[in-house]
Amino acid sequence: MLLALSACGGGQPQEAPPPPVVQVATPIQREVYDWDEYVGRFEAIQDAEIRPRASGTIQDVLFTDGQRVSQGQALFQIDPRPYRAALASAKAQVLKAQASLANLRSVAARSEALLKAQAVSREEYEKNVADVRTAVAELEAARAQVQTAELNLGFTTVRSPISGRVSRRSVSRGNFVQEGTTVLTRVVSTDPIWFSFDGAEAFYLKYSRQNKAGERGSSRDTGNPVEVQLADESGYNWRGRMDFVDNAIDPNSGTIRAHARIANPDGFLTPGMFGRARLLGSGTYRAMLVPDTAIVTDQARKIVYVVGKDGKVAPRPVVTGPPADGLRVIKEGLAPTDRVVVQGLTTLQPGMPVQAKLTKIQAKPKGDTPASQALTTPPAADASQAN
């Protein structure tokens, strides 16, 4: 038995396991733009509260609550009869003034002839001429009253000052409304529409310095592209351009107000609707792109594993940027020739020898990503490939 045990203990030593196989690839090099994210809401460019310019009783409501209306479309009809009577009276005053003027002109003409024959005094003649001037002024005043009466009669038909969507009516047929006081309804424009948001002071400083350096134009003077994602959407499907940046930073919140103009031809976007926006946030810069799966989080650091010439892996701290074309922008930490481990990370330890199989990183753009569209129509990505 002892001999048998001794024979078993004298076998060949076990071989070390082979190095793990990993796939490596060099980073993709691209020139990209950054996009900064904001949260905001849509606002109507024009918002009109409709009040009457004539007092009276509502005779008819000429719209359906919530319908789309055009500029100049009739919304309410106020009883026009008192205003028609006032117009007729004003026209009668014009006729009266015309008759008076004609009579005084005849008197002045006779007075002039008598003055030449020394049959009347010059004082009498000058009084007749002055009466003609007074009658001319009274005629002009009567004509102005006609214009005022015509305006007031026109104001009995309340029209929409803008095109857009009307709210519900605040009064019904038979209600008495007061000029300039009673709110009848509200109309908001829908196309185009503003997307309003507040930007942090840090972003404002960044944009100002980029503008000063000539890297990116200020949104005050440049229509920088903006994309908006609605609450139920997975992509940034609404596109527009910056239209306004406020003139001061709010000292209470440390933010500055801005908005972008978004096309809304079918009226789908509604004022008050929530959205997330991406604004062009940088000039062009050259960056490395690797898959997100190649990046490991080590406490507060982001690292990738690189295979050296000796066949061993080494961790490399990197500074990551936004996503682009389905990959992740690496701003610092990688060289174009570095062989980055893109598959097989789970068992790696620093200094471990590996069998590296070379592969190629593939960008995975969607239909509306930078690889398939020019920058004139901003793509749905945090960083865009420059063309």
Side-chain angles (χ1 to χ4, degrees), residues 1-11:
M1 184 180 296
L2 291 173
L3 290 173
L5 290 173
S6 176
C8 292

Side-chain angles (χ1 to χ4, degrees), residues 223-272:
N224 288 315
V226 174
E227 298 173 333
V228 181
Q229 176 187 30
L230 302 183
D232 65 341
E233 293 178 339
S234 58
Y236 289 75
N237 302 320
W238 304 90
R239 296 184 173 90
R241 294 197 173 270
M242 286 299 297
D243 191 50
F244 165 77
V245 177
D246 210 345
N247 59 358
I249 293 175
D250 187 335
N252 296 318
S253 63
T255 60
I256 190 167
R257 193 70 171 167
H259 64 237
R261 183 183 292 255
I262 310 293
N264 187 31
D266 58 356
F268 182 83
L269 301 175
T270 303

Side-chain angles (χ1 to χ4, degrees), residues 87-301:
L87 176 59
S89 176
K91 288 180 177 179
Q93 290 298 319
V94 169
L95 295 176
K96 180 180 177 181
Q98 287 174 338
S100 178
L101 176 60
N103 182 51
L104 291 173
R105 279 175 173 168
S106 297
V107 172
R110 289 195 301 269
S111 180
E112 183 179 9
L114 292 172
L115 178 64
K116 291 178 181 179
Q118 296 183 351
V120 295
S121 66
R122 176 164 292 277
E123 181 181 359
E124 182 70 19
Y125 167 72
E126 290 178 351
K127 178 181 179 301
N128 292 334
V129 172
D131 289 342
V132 171
R133 294 195 190 102
T134 302
V136 169
E138 289 175 349
L139 177 58
E140 292 301 318
R143 286 172 175 167
Q145 288 298 318
V146 170
Q147 293 178 349
T148 301
E150 288 175 342
L151 283 173
N152 290 334
L153 179 59
F155 292 153
T156 60
T157 301
V158 181
R159 302 182 182 276
S160 175
I162 61 174
S163 297
R165 191 173 296 280
V166 66
S167 181
R168 66 177 184 86
R169 70 196 75 183
S170 300
V171 296
S172 301
R173 184 175 181 179
N175 292 148
F176 184 85
V177 296
Q178 188 69 37
E179 173 190 354
T181 302
T182 309
V183 177
L184 303 179
T185 188
R186 178 183 171 210
V187 180
V188 296
S189 63
T190 57
D191 183 33
I193 194 170
W194 280 335
F195 181 81
S196 297
F197 58 91
D198 293 322
E201 184 177 348
F203 281 126
Y204 179 77
L205 288 171
K206 183 184 77 165
Y207 299 149
S208 297
R209 298 191 187 284
Q210 289 175 348
N211 180 58
K212 187 175 181 180
E215 299 172 358
R216 171 193 179 276
S218 169
S219 292
R220 282 199 174 98
D221 309 311
T222 306
N224 288 315
V226 174
E227 298 173 333
V228 181
Q229 176 187 30
L230 302 183
D232 65 341
E233 293 178 339
S234 58
Y236 289 75
N237 302 320
W238 304 90
R239 296 184 173 90
R241 294 197 173 270
M242 286 299 297
D243 191 50
F244 165 77
V245 177
D246 210 345
N247 59 358
I249 293 175
D250 187 335
N252 296 318
S253 63
T255 60
I256 190 167
R257 193 70 171 167
H259 64 237
R261 183 183 292 255
I262 310 293
N264 187 31
D266 58 356
F268 182 83
L269 301 175
T270 303
M273 189 180 287
F274 169 85
R276 297 181 181 275
R278 287 176 174 174
L279 166 64
L280 182 68
S282 74
T284 306
Y285 66 92
R286 196 161 191 81
M288 310 292 174
L289 274 66
V290 300
D292 270 317
T293 54
I295 302 171
V296 178
T297 300
D298 180 13
Q299 295 181 351
R301 299 187 308 166

